[in-house]
Amino acid sequence: MRTRVTEMFGIRYPVIQGGMVWVAGWRLAAAVSEAGGLGLIGSGSMKADVLREHIRNAHQATRMPFGVNVPLLREDAEELLLTALEEGITIFFTSAGNPEKFTKPLLDKHCTVVHVVSSVRQAIKAYMAGCHAVVGEGVEAGGHNGPAEISTMCLIPQLVDAVPIPVIAAGGIADGRGLAAALALGAEAVQVGTRFITAVESSAHDTFKRLVLEAADDGTVLTFRALAPVRLLRTPFARRVIEAEQRGATVDELRRLLGRKREMRGMSEGDVEEGQFEAGQCAALVKDIAPASAIIERMITGCHNAIMRVARFTDS
Ligand SMILES: Cc1cc2nc3c(=O)[nH]c(=O)nc-3n(C[C@H](O)[C@H](O)[C@H](O)COP(=O)(O)O)c2cc1C
């Protein structure tokens, strides 16, 4: 499968594994890259020294290209970027913040920079900042969402029309049908998060993996709209947030309810009562724990099958 994105990174399949806090360490990123996709180390839950270790381990584990995701709103974003550069990283997926500040310095160092966007306005901004591609992330996606709450189905074709750089679709893509649909919408690759939570190589707590496997069609909910919208599994903590929001809790109350380290307590430590578990609507499509290589192979086979199925409709 050849698109501008596979060419850009020198990868076999147009499948990128999203950089995910507490889930996407070196094991997952290396396994995805070895399997022909592009693995990303999620630095959002790491201090600089931890990131350095993950990059070194990934370099030991694979010679295939892999990258690092850096959420730009982090206070230490610059330190994370510099650490990744020192360790030889040339592929950066930036998110959650303004792409203007860091894109140019990364381009000066001959890096490939992709920014995650959730609206047409943000995509144009990323393009103007010099990004090589954008990830268009719909509101179905797990984790932090954009305030515009646009679905992947509606967002991707608008981005394709708005910017000349390649668009990578994210949000709700868990199998080959989703990949085929994204390509049909004009995307040139997909960024997959939730499906990889239950990869063998993911560092998600076993309880987190189990919760994803058990999720039903309405198993996730968009919370904390007044702070920073985040899609969570409907666990006891998420229900408390929904209740607070429904009775009109103030921003300060929500901030107090969120407290600190909820992500770590949930996704890394498996605390079902108090933790926060980020996952997308497509959790309902995730049925097993499997090696990253199997997830990708199935996705590619499923994509071919979906395209053939559609082609048969037009044969007659
Ligand atoms: C557990 C989890 C953690 C995530 N953490 C990050 C992150 O640190 N940085 C980021 O840019 N995106 C993050 N995301 C978003 C993913 O990179 C990806 O874009 C998204 O999951 C795609 O939608 P999907 O969940 O429907 O596959 C996270 C998603 C999940 C599910």
Side-chain angles (χ1 to χ4, degrees):
M1 297 176 90
R2 278 173 88 174
T3 69
R4 282 189 292 173
V5 174
T6 60
E7 301 279 295
M8 187 179 290
F9 298 120
I11 52 176
R12 198 156 160 218
Y13 301 125
V15 178
I16 292 154
Q17 159 257 309
M20 290 177 278
V21 285
W22 301 112
V23 172
W26 69 270
R27 280 193 185 82
L28 181 58
V32 168
S33 291
E34 277 289 294
L38 181 72
L40 299 180
I41 295 175
S43 75
S45 47
M46 298 175 184
K47 293 261 192 299
D49 55 337
V50 176
L51 174 61
R52 192 184 299 281
E53 214 179 297
H54 276 264
I55 295 172
R56 288 186 180 175
N57 286 336
H59 275 308
Q60 294 280 326
T62 184
R63 291 183 164 273
M64 304 306 278
F66 66 91
V68 170
N69 164 250
V70 180
L72 298 178
L73 279 179
R74 272 191 60 142
E75 275 172 19
D76 58 352
E78 188 162 5
E79 194 187 351
L80 292 170
L81 290 167
L82 287 173
T83 304
L85 280 170
E86 278 167 22
E87 294 301 318
I89 294 295
T90 57
I91 298 172
F92 288 88
F93 276 54
T94 57
S95 57
N98 188 341
E100 272 161 10
K101 185 167 174 198
F102 294 116
T103 301
K104 171 103 181 22
L106 290 172
L107 296 179
D108 289 344
K109 299 220 176 309
H110 309 290
C111 294
T112 304
V113 185
V114 179
H115 191 65
V116 181
V117 304
S118 54
S119 69
V120 171
R121 189 181 57 80
Q122 289 176 1
I124 292 170
K125 200 167 168 183
Y127 167 61
M128 299 301 278
C131 291
H132 292 94
V134 288
V135 173
E137 196 185 61
V139 72
E140 302 92 321
H144 287 278
N145 281 194
E149 299 186 19
I150 305 167
S151 69
T152 305
M153 186 85 155
C154 291
L155 179 65
I156 300 306
Q158 292 185 68
L159 299 185
V160 169
D161 290 345
V163 291
I165 50 177
V167 173
I168 299 163
I173 299 154
D175 60 23
R177 295 169 295 182
L179 171 56
L183 296 174
L185 292 175
E188 297 189 50
V190 292
Q191 174 167 291
V192 175
T194 298
R195 173 60 270 213
F196 283 114
I197 295 172
T198 68
V200 169
E201 300 87 350
S202 124
S203 46
H205 193 277
D206 282 349
T207 301
F208 185 17
K209 293 186 181 182
R210 179 176 55 77
L211 291 173
V212 169
L213 294 177
E214 288 170 2
D217 51 359
D218 62 348
T220 70
V221 61
L222 192 59
T223 59
F224 289 116
R225 282 190 168 92
L227 296 179
V230 59
R231 183 170 295 283
L232 302 178
L233 287 173
R234 253 179 232 274
T235 56
F237 171 67
R239 288 204 182 89
R240 294 212 306 273
V241 180
I242 300 165
E243 275 163 29
E245 288 179 331
Q246 282 173 348
R247 69 173 153 75
T250 63
V251 169
D252 275 348
E253 280 175 80
L254 290 172
R255 231 177 241 130
R256 274 199 299 280
L257 178 57
L258 177 60
R260 294 186 64 244
K261 300 195 185 289
R262 293 273 182 199
E263 293 181 334
M264 184 181 79
R265 283 172 82 173
M267 297 185 279
S268 175
E269 296 174 356
D271 182 342
V272 177
E273 287 300 319
E274 297 297 333
Q276 163 172 317
F277 297 85
E278 298 175 7
Q281 287 183 340
C282 63
L285 289 166
V286 178
K287 303 287 184 217
D288 65 355
I289 292 173
S293 58
I295 293 172
I296 292 177
E297 273 164 35
R298 281 186 226 159
M299 203 172 263
I300 299 304
T301 309
C303 176
H304 283 299
N305 291 343
I307 291 168
M308 306 258 280
R309 183 169 171 273
V310 176
R312 278 200 298 274
F313 292 146
T314 57
D315 275 351
S316 52

